[in-house]
Amino acid sequence: MVEISADVARQLREYAERYETAAFLDGDPSWFMHQVSGAANQEAMAFVASVLSYGSRKQFLPKIQQILDNSRGEVHQWVLSADYERMFRASDSSCFYRLYTHSTMNGFLAAYRQLLADYGTLGNYVRQFSPTPITHHPTPIPQHPSPNTHHPTGLSAIASICSYFSAHGVSVVVPKDTQSACKRVAMFLRWMVRSGSPVDLGLWAGFIDRRTLIMPLDTHVVSESVRLGLMHCKTASMSAARQLTQSLATVFPDDPLKGDFALFGYGVDV
C-alpha cells in the first residue's frame, strides 16, 4: 500500500467535490444514459455507450449518438427485438468505429440480445452469475459460471460480464477476461452502482457494494496516479487498477471511485 501525502489527499477530496456535478456529463459518454427513460433503457444505453468509449471523444460520441437516434431512445427493446440489424448487418464488414465493423457490432448486439432474452437485463445476469475471477495467472475464467449465492463484487461483476461475451465470441468488444484493466466495463459498473450522484445512476446499488468497485484505468490515469504517488505500476492492468483503488479507498473509504472524478480534476486543472 502506498502512502498518500496529506496535500494530495486534500486536493483529491477538493477535486472530487468540484467535478462530480451535472456539468461533468457535458461531453462525457455518461451523458447518453441520462437521455433515455426507464431503468432497462438506461442500463442498455449505458452498456452500449461504454463499449464504444475508447479513442477520441470527438469520434466515438457521434457513434453513440447514432445508436441513440436509431433506437429512438428505446435501446432495450431495440436490442431485444433485433431492430439493430437494420443498422448493423452481419454481412457488412465495413468499419463502424475503429476496430469495430458493422458485422462486429451485429455479433456483439446478438450476444447481448440473447442475454436480455434469457435474463431480462444485464443486471439480472450479473446478480445471478458472478464467478471468482483469476487475476494473478492466465487460467481462463469459467465460460459458464455457476449461479451466484452471494452478492457480487465489482471484480466478480466484471468477470461475469467478460465471461458471458467471451463465450459468445465477441471478446473484441468486451475483454475476454480480467487480465487487462477492463477500463470500459469498470466505468460501466461505476455508472450502474454508485448512487446519490448527479452522474452515476446507481441502478445496481442494491446488490453491489460501491466499496468493491474497481477504478477505471487507462494510460492517462496511470501516468497521473504515478505522478501523484497513488501507485507505482506504470502499465494499465487489473492488478494496477486494484492497487489504485486501494489507494483511493484510503482517501474515500466509503466510495473509492469518487476518486475517478478527482483524477479527472487533476487532468483539467494541473
Side-chain angles (χ1 to χ4, degrees):
M1 177 72 70
V2 298
E3 187 168 338
I4 302 173
S5 74
D7 285 345
V8 168
R10 176 189 54 77
Q11 190 69 75
L12 286 168
R13 294 187 189 98
E14 180 183 323
Y15 281 157
E17 292 302 320
R18 184 185 305 176
Y19 289 101
E20 190 179 4
T21 67
F24 180 90
L25 294 168
D26 186 27
D28 190 77
S30 57
W31 177 86
F32 290 95
M33 64 194 187
H34 291 271
Q35 308 312 305
V36 298
S37 300
N41 275 326
Q42 288 184 311
E43 179 186 294
M45 184 74 258
F47 187 52
V48 173
S50 71
V51 303
L52 287 165
S53 297
Y54 72 101
S56 166
R57 290 190 178 199
K58 289 183 179 180
Q59 293 180 348
F60 71 68
L61 291 175
K63 297 298 182 181
I64 303 172
Q65 183 68 52
Q66 286 181 33
I67 292 173
L68 176 60
D69 293 342
N70 192 271
S71 67
R72 296 180 176 86
E74 298 294 332
V75 191
H76 177 86
Q77 188 60 31
W78 181 75
V79 176
L80 189 58
S81 66
D83 197 30
Y84 60 81
E85 292 190 338
R86 295 190 301 168
M87 182 176 181
F88 299 111
R89 297 191 305 276
S91 60
D92 187 352
S93 60
S94 65
C95 178
F96 174 64
Y97 176 62
R98 296 188 67 169
L99 297 175
Y100 303 165
T101 65
H102 286 78
S103 177
T104 300
M105 289 298 295
N106 177 280
F108 160 68
L109 290 166
Y112 189 21
R113 180 195 181 199
Q114 187 61 55
L115 184 149
L116 295 182
D118 291 341
Y119 301 99
T121 66
L122 181 53
N124 286 342
Y125 167 77
V126 168
R127 182 162 21 195
Q128 294 180 53
F129 296 95
S130 189
T132 301
I134 306 298
T135 57
H136 57 279
H137 60 74
T139 302
I141 296 169
Q143 294 300 301
H144 302 286
S146 300
N148 180 35
T149 57
H150 306 286
H151 285 301
T153 64
L155 186 57
S156 69
I158 292 173
S160 66
I161 293 171
C162 291
S163 175
Y164 184 90
F165 287 92
S166 176
H168 286 76
V170 286
S171 56
V172 69
V173 179
V174 179
K176 65 181 181 179
D177 56 36
T178 56
Q179 299 300 307
S180 70
C182 298
K183 187 248 183 174
R184 287 169 289 159
V185 184
M187 177 180 69
F188 168 70
L189 284 172
R190 195 203 84 200
W191 295 347
M192 291 296 100
V193 174
R194 293 185 71 251
S195 59
S197 169
V199 178
D200 301 327
L201 296 174
L203 298 178
W204 298 2
F207 62 93
I208 297 179
D209 188 331
R210 67 185 182 182
R211 291 171 296 183
T212 70
L213 292 173
I214 304 296
M215 180 72 179
L217 189 66
D218 57 20
T219 54
H220 166 73
V221 173
V222 168
S223 60
E224 200 67 54
S225 299
V226 169
R227 185 182 69 81
L228 293 170
L230 300 175
M231 57 186 286
H232 301 306
C233 184
K234 296 183 179 181
T235 57
S237 65
M238 183 56 71
S239 175
R242 295 178 74 181
Q243 180 185 117
L244 176 56
T245 305
Q246 289 174 355
S247 294
L248 291 170
T250 66
V251 182
F252 308 102
D254 187 53
D255 188 11
L257 264 58
K258 199 170 184 66
D260 203 2
F261 297 94
L263 289 174
F264 171 83
Y266 270 101
V268 171
D269 285 15
V270 177

